[in-house]
Amino acid sequence: MTKFVIILLSAVFINNYVLTKFLGICPFLGVSKKLNQATGMSIAVIFVMMMATAVTYPIQTYLLTPHNLSYLQTIVFILVIAALVQLVEIILKRYIPSLHKSLGVYLPLITTNCAVLGVTILNIDEGYTFAEAMINSLGSGLGFFLAMVMFAGVRSVIEGADIPKAFRGLPVTLVAASITSLSFLGFSGVIENLFG
């Protein structure tokens, strides 16, 4: 049980895919302008990460590895993720059309969100069991959610600030993102100290 807590907290705070591994930067910068968009995108990413892990882990364990087809891992995982994103898009379009419209082009971009692919591949590379991989995926999704919501708040403050003309737009966004990323470095020793 302690191992699951360590994996979960590490994925959220220490190994945050957006802020420490710099995976999933496109939606992080593109959809974090408004809190509702950031929240909707994050929930969709959490769902896709969990489902992708639930599907890709058995494929890797029971199909690719036993038949020496591990070289197909990336292609197979991308196909699985693309199918899951299409499923999410259909569900959102049907049941939450306002969110589907507000996410726009960024929703299909979950397919190319390297954070989702990174989680599925690193679950295998880290040698996690299925349960550990699912916990890591949940933690990674929650870390993505935390980064998106936190940065949406930062960007709302930036919009009201008096910023020099040269820094307006993308430059100040990147500076704010780097400072937000630096804030997560402080968590690196906390988990180890808490759990020994």
Side-chain angles (χ1 to χ4, degrees), residues 34-53:
K34 295 180 182 171
L35 183 60
N36 63 339
Q37 288 179 344
T39 303
M41 173 61 90
S42 299
I43 291 169
V45 168
I46 291 170
F47 176 78
V48 171
M49 278 185 180
M50 296 286 293
M51 294 305 296
T53 297

Side-chain angles (χ1 to χ4, degrees), residues 176-196:
S178 63
I179 293 170
T180 305
S181 177
L182 283 173
S183 68
F184 273 66
L185 288 176
F187 292 115
S188 59
V190 173
I191 305 298
E192 291 85 3
N193 289 335
L194 282 176
F195 296 100

Side-chain angles (χ1 to χ4, degrees), residues 27-71:
F28 176 70
L29 294 175
V31 187
S32 61
K33 290 181 182 176
K34 295 180 182 171
L35 183 60
N36 63 339
Q37 288 179 344
T39 303
M41 173 61 90
S42 299
I43 291 169
V45 168
I46 291 170
F47 176 78
V48 171
M49 278 185 180
M50 296 286 293
M51 294 305 296
T53 297
V55 174
T56 58
Y57 190 93
I59 289 173
Q60 178 71 38
T61 305
Y62 301 113
L63 181 66
L64 298 180
T65 302
H67 298 293
N68 294 322
L69 298 172
S70 293
Y71 61 91

Side-chain angles (χ1 to χ4, degrees), residues 8 11-12 15 17 49 119 135-145:
L8 182 71
V12 173
N15 300 320
Y17 278 78
M49 278 185 180
V119 167
I135 294 294
N136 185 55
S137 296
L138 175 63
S140 300
L142 292 173
F144 186 86
F145 178 83

Side-chain angles (χ1 to χ4, degrees), residues 117-196:
L117 180 62
V119 167
T120 58
I121 290 175
L122 287 174
N123 283 335
I124 304 296
D125 291 348
E126 292 291 327
Y128 288 143
T129 64
F130 182 75
E132 292 169 348
M134 292 301 292
I135 294 294
N136 185 55
S137 296
L138 175 63
S140 300
L142 292 173
F144 186 86
F145 178 83
L146 176 65
M148 290 286 285
V149 169
M150 202 166 87
F151 199 58
V154 169
R155 287 185 79 171
S156 68
V157 171
I158 289 173
E159 285 186 19
D162 184 27
I163 299 168
K165 188 176 181 182
F167 282 103
R168 289 183 191 151
L170 187 60
V172 75
T173 302
L174 293 175
V175 169
S178 63
I179 293 170
T180 305
S181 177
L182 283 173
S183 68
F184 273 66
L185 288 176
F187 292 115
S188 59
V190 173
I191 305 298
E192 291 85 3
N193 289 335
L194 282 176
F195 296 100

